[in-house]
């Protein structure tokens, strides 16, 4: 099975845990025997259990690459979208990546689906079946239609011509209101979950009709100039050979706090205390301080360095326009070398806790307008400051003045408290250098 997982968006509906760098699919809130895993870790684990030989490619923005490698390892195909250009350019780029980088034949089928559904293994068995149908059926596009369990306003609808497992498509309907959704369901409509399969060559042919490019590298270089257009508008609406395959298994889009609370095991992730009168109250707490809930009913509370959400569960779906108004520095992010969390921001200082993975390092760099002080909290490694190298351990303090070239290299996992000092502290004040050896 050739599988492309679409991983995009900032997941603002799960604020404050998600941000522009840390999307919802990377948040570890799904309980396992050993702790917690993220949605992308769960989906990837399920894929490997169903089809160990599957060729998995994640189509994503460059800001998510570090999180993907940190959570799934290095041996995962990634088609990097250098700019956000909607789903058709992303899928066209992934298709070119499969052919030119992964060596997939244009005659083979490819299945495309979101990276973050909450599903059982039967969903991935259905994806294999979808790919087989795209390979063998007289259709250029085979969609998965999910049998609806309620009249939802969140999804578009596919109306099939028959009630067979595989049917021609009668029409597509945009996201409706609840009453209209009831009418669609009465007609046998299926949810459109954004899951479909095609022969690789067919989508590449359509891509060449709309975009002038030669191969993956050429398309990547031209990506900034591409029109923003969805796969539905670019391909689906112009295709008359389309079939839909029914799927009746569990399928849940964990894109809102309401949906997330429905699958939580227990009422709390992180430190939380409930009194005996708290009912239907859920807490997801990333802070190292407890959240106390007393007399609360039908409430979700989420706390992180980005902010605190307290909401009626049924109102939490309406969070996005309010989060759009928040203009705040990113307080937590995963990088290729580890992660960082902003602890405190003052007028002339910023305090950051940095975790470096073993063998990784910061770039060799300097700052023009700020001094920095590193305090090693745990682990061991070495620093290079203006060419001078020294070993560092827990308790060591390293001071760098403005203009000083510096880096730190982790021998073991290394935790460092970084204090930035100056009147002009910003992310753009950074000059990179080749490391002196």
């Amino acid at each position: 099975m050739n599988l492309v997982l679409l991983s995009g968006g900032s997941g603002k509906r799960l604020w404050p845990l998600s941000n522009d760098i840390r999307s919802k699919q990377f948040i570890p809130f799904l309980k396992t025997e050993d702790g917690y895993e993220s949605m992308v870790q769960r989906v990837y684990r399920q894929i490997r259990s169903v089809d160990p030989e599957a060729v998995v490619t994640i189509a994503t923005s460059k800001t998510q690459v570090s999180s993907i490698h940190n959570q799934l390892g290095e041996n995962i195909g990634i088609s990097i979208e250098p700019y956000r250009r909607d789903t058709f350019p992303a899928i066209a780029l992934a298709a070119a990546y499969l052919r030119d980088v992964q060596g997939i034949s244009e005659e083979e089928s490819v299945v495309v689906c979101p990276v973050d559904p909450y599903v059982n293994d039967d969903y991935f068995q259905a994806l294999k079946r979808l790919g087989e149908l795209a390979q063998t059926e007289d259709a250029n596009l085979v969609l998965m239609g999910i049998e609806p369990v309620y009249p939802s306003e969140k999804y578009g609808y596919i109306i099939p011509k028959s009630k067979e497992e595989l049917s021609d498509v009668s029409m597509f309907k945009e996201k409706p209101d609840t009453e209209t959704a009831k009418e669609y369901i009465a007609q046998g409509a299926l949810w459109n979950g954004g899951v479909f399969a095609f022969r690789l060559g067919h989508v590449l042919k359509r891509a060449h009709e709309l975009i002038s490019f030669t191969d993956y590298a050429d398309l990547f270089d031209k990506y900034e100039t591409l029109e923003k257009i969805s796969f539905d508008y670019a391909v689906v609406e112009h295709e008359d050979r389309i079939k839909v395959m029914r799927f009746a298994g569990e399928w849940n889009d964990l894109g809102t706090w309401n949906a997330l609370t429905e699958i939580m095991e227990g009422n709390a992730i992180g430190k939380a205390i409930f009194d005996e009168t708290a009912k239907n109250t859920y807490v997801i707490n990333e802070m190292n301080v407890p959240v106390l809930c007393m007399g609360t009913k039908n409430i979700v509370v989420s706390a992180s360095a980005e902010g605190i959400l307290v909401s009626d569960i049924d109102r939490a779906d309406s969070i996005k326009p309010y989060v759009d108004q928040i203009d705040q520095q990113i307080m937590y992010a995963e990088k290729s070398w580890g992660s960082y969390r902003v602890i405190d921001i003052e007028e002339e200082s910023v305090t950051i806790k940095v975790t470096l993975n073993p063998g990784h390092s910061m770039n060799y760099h300097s700052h023009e307008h700020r001094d920095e002080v590193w305090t090693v909290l745990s682990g061991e490694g070495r620093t290079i400051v203006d060419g001078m190298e020294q070993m560092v351990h827990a308790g060591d303090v390293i001071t760098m003045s403005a203009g000083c070239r510096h880096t730190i290299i982790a021998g073991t996992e290394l935790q460092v408290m970084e204090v930035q000092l100056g009147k002009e502290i910003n992310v753009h004040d950074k000059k990179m250098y080749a490391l002196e050896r």
Side-chain angles (χ1 to χ4, degrees):
M1 174 169 59
N2 300 308
L3 188 58
V4 173
L5 303 176
L6 298 180
S7 177
S10 59
K12 290 183 178 180
R13 294 186 187 278
L14 287 182
W15 182 91
L17 296 190
S18 58
N19 56 42
D20 286 337
I21 295 177
R22 187 196 192 196
S23 296
K24 63 180 182 179
Q25 55 265 35
F26 303 112
I27 304 170
F29 48 56
L30 301 175
K31 191 170 180 56
T32 67
E33 293 181 358
D34 301 321
Y36 291 91
E37 66 182 354
S38 68
M39 287 186 273
V40 70
Q41 287 172 318
R42 174 185 164 95
V43 164
Y44 190 68
R45 174 173 55 78
Q46 290 175 303
I47 292 169
R48 289 299 177 212
S49 71
V50 169
D51 186 355
E53 303 303 317
V55 176
V56 181
T57 300
I58 299 182
T60 188
S61 65
K62 55 187 176 183
T63 60
Q64 296 184 5
V65 172
S66 294
S67 295
I68 291 169
H69 284 313
N70 289 343
Q71 295 198 4
L72 302 182
E74 297 296 324
N75 298 322
I76 179 80
I78 301 180
S79 173
I80 301 174
E81 194 179 4
Y83 302 90
R84 290 184 178 177
R85 289 294 182 267
D86 215 329
T87 50
F88 174 68
I91 291 168
L93 187 67
Y97 174 88
L98 285 174
R99 182 191 64 189
D100 299 331
V101 178
Q102 299 284 53
I104 305 300
S105 166
E106 291 191 11
E107 298 303 313
E108 292 191 40
S109 63
V110 177
V111 180
V112 176
C113 67
V115 75
D116 54 2
Y118 186 79
V119 291
N120 294 321
D121 287 354
D122 61 345
Y123 171 84
F124 297 99
Q125 295 287 2
L127 293 187
K128 288 186 67 174
R129 170 74 172 145
L130 197 72
E132 292 166 358
L133 290 171
Q135 192 83 49
T136 59
E137 289 292 322
D138 184 25
N140 289 328
L141 196 63
V142 184
L143 312 176
M144 176 186 284
I146 296 132
E147 293 193 358
V149 293
Y150 62 93
S152 173
E153 300 179 4
K154 295 193 298 182
Y155 312 119
Y157 286 78
I158 305 166
I159 300 181
K161 288 186 177 180
S162 76
K163 294 184 178 180
E164 301 296 322
E165 180 214 10
L166 185 67
S167 168
D168 290 329
V169 174
S170 174
M171 64 184 72
F172 295 92
K173 295 293 186 180
E174 297 292 334
K175 297 175 183 179
D177 56 37
T178 300
E179 291 304 313
T180 306
K182 291 179 181 178
E183 296 174 9
Y184 293 163
I185 292 173
Q187 300 174 47
L190 306 167
W191 283 341
N192 186 352
V195 183
F196 47 89
F198 50 77
R199 284 182 295 278
L200 181 60
H202 178 72
V203 163
L204 285 172
K205 179 183 177 183
R206 180 60 177 161
H208 281 292
E209 291 172 354
L210 298 179
I211 307 167
S212 176
F213 71 100
T214 56
D215 56 14
Y216 168 75
D218 185 41
L219 183 58
F220 184 90
D221 290 340
K222 294 177 177 177
Y223 205 82
E224 184 179 8
T225 67
L226 302 187
E227 176 189 2
K228 292 182 179 180
I229 184 171
S230 73
F231 189 83
D232 285 349
Y233 285 123
V235 178
V236 178
E237 290 189 358
H238 302 275
E239 183 58 66
D240 54 7
R241 294 170 59 193
I242 302 180
K243 293 183 182 293
V244 59
M245 183 192 80
R246 291 176 176 270
F247 176 68
E250 181 180 1
W251 181 86
N252 199 332
D253 174 17
L254 300 185
T256 65
W257 284 114
N258 194 336
L260 179 59
T261 58
E262 291 177 358
I263 60 90
M264 280 180 61
E265 293 188 24
N267 287 67
I269 299 174
K271 295 181 178 181
I273 303 169
F274 305 91
D275 78 346
E276 67 278 3
T277 64
K279 305 295 182 184
N280 198 34
T281 297
Y282 297 86
V283 174
I284 301 92
N285 181 14
E286 286 195 326
M287 307 291 284
N288 195 31
V289 293
V291 171
L292 171 60
C293 297
M294 302 178 67
T296 53
K297 294 177 175 60
N298 202 43
I299 292 291
V300 59
V301 179
S302 178
S304 81
E306 304 284 331
I308 298 172
L309 169 71
V310 180
S311 173
D312 181 278
I313 290 176
D314 296 328
R315 281 288 298 159
D317 287 3
S318 305
I319 190 176
K320 190 176 183 297
Y322 299 97
V323 176
D324 285 339
Q325 299 174 30
I326 299 173
D327 183 16
Q328 182 184 23
Q329 176 178 335
I330 299 297
M331 304 294 281
Y332 174 84
E334 292 184 6
K335 296 291 187 178
S336 59
W337 42 260
S339 63
Y340 72 83
R341 186 181 300 277
V342 178
I343 304 298
D344 183 64
I345 301 176
E346 300 290 345
E347 187 173 346
E348 295 186 12
S349 70
V350 176
T351 303
I352 303 171
K353 185 177 182 180
V354 177
T355 301
L356 283 164
N357 295 330
H360 288 259
S361 65
M362 295 183 186
N363 293 311
Y364 194 44
H365 65 282
S366 68
H367 308 287
E368 183 178 353
H369 299 293
R370 71 174 187 253
D371 301 333
E372 287 187 348
V373 179
W374 290 338
T375 302
V376 180
L377 303 177
S378 65
E380 59 183 33
R382 54 195 173 97
T383 60
I384 301 176
V385 180
D386 278 342
M388 185 177 71
E389 182 174 331
Q390 70 178 72
M391 300 300 297
V392 292
H393 306 81
D396 289 342
V397 178
I398 304 94
T399 301
M400 287 77 60
S401 301
C404 179
R405 304 181 184 191
H406 55 279
T407 186
I408 186 166
I409 304 160
T412 64
E413 181 180 280
L414 193 63
Q415 291 194 334
V416 176
M417 194 67 73
E418 175 179 293
V419 180
Q420 303 172 357
L421 302 166
K423 293 184 178 181
E424 299 180 36
I425 299 175
N426 66 75
V427 296
H428 304 294
D429 179 17
K430 189 172 186 178
K431 188 175 181 180
M432 313 289 284
Y433 304 93
L435 187 59
E436 301 165 6
R437 295 289 186 181

